[in-house]
Amino acid sequence: MTQTSENVTWLTQAGYDQLKAELDHLTGPWRIEIAQKIEAAREEGDLKENAGYHAAKEEQGKYELRIRQLTQLLERAKVGEAPADSGVVAPGMIVTVAFDGDEDDLMEFLLASREVAGADDLDVYSPQSPLGRAIDGKQIGDEATYELPNGKPAMVKIVKVVPHAG
């Protein structure tokens, strides 16, 4: 998955299908299930002290937010192919960086949105994160500096760039 400054989200067909299936489940069977939970809790009586009712309403709120997020994401999605194996850092690529040029201090991560990270154990960094913005468009051997959350600069060297197969 790739996000650009125009707020377009690029997805592989598999990524789009995964998110669409989640949205379909949440707007169909899940809504029926949560409505039944809320109704059953209402029938228990006093809503002020009804823990089941409050838990169901909290769950409903959480998933309604997820429905809105998925709807917005899929509305602006463009479906395309996985990135080419060009050696250039771009969203959808697995990137290995060395911190401060230290070839022993390596970190591998997927540059993409967390929405479609998949089940693999890769860390995911957003293309809009400070690190993501700093390395976007760089090639193997290039260095980039970005700002850490504490305000200090950090330097990384691009060691490896490969397309994410997932």
Side-chain angles (χ1 to χ4, degrees), residues 9 11 15-21 23-24 68-78:
T9 302
L11 297 169
Y16 181 90
D17 293 345
Q18 173 189 347
L19 294 174
K20 180 72 171 112
L23 179 62
D24 290 345
R68 284 192 301 277
Q69 289 171 334
L70 287 171
T71 300
Q72 290 172 357
L73 189 122
L74 292 173
E75 282 174 353
R76 65 178 187 257
K78 300 285 185 196

Side-chain angles (χ1 to χ4, degrees), residues 91-110:
M93 303 296 273
I94 298 173
V95 182
T96 305
V97 297
F99 288 95
D100 294 321
D102 181 358
E103 299 293 326
D104 294 327
D105 188 12
L106 299 177
M107 179 175 74
E108 181 180 81
F109 58 90
L110 173 63

Side-chain angles (χ1 to χ4, degrees), residues 2-10 128:
T2 304
Q3 293 184 331
T4 66
S5 58
E6 297 96 38
N7 219 11
V8 170
T9 302
W10 291 93
Q128 285 77 36

Side-chain angles (χ1 to χ4, degrees), residues 152-163:
K152 294 183 180 180
M155 195 272 298
V156 293
K157 180 177 180 180
I158 310 301
V159 176
K160 184 177 175 185
V161 181
V162 295

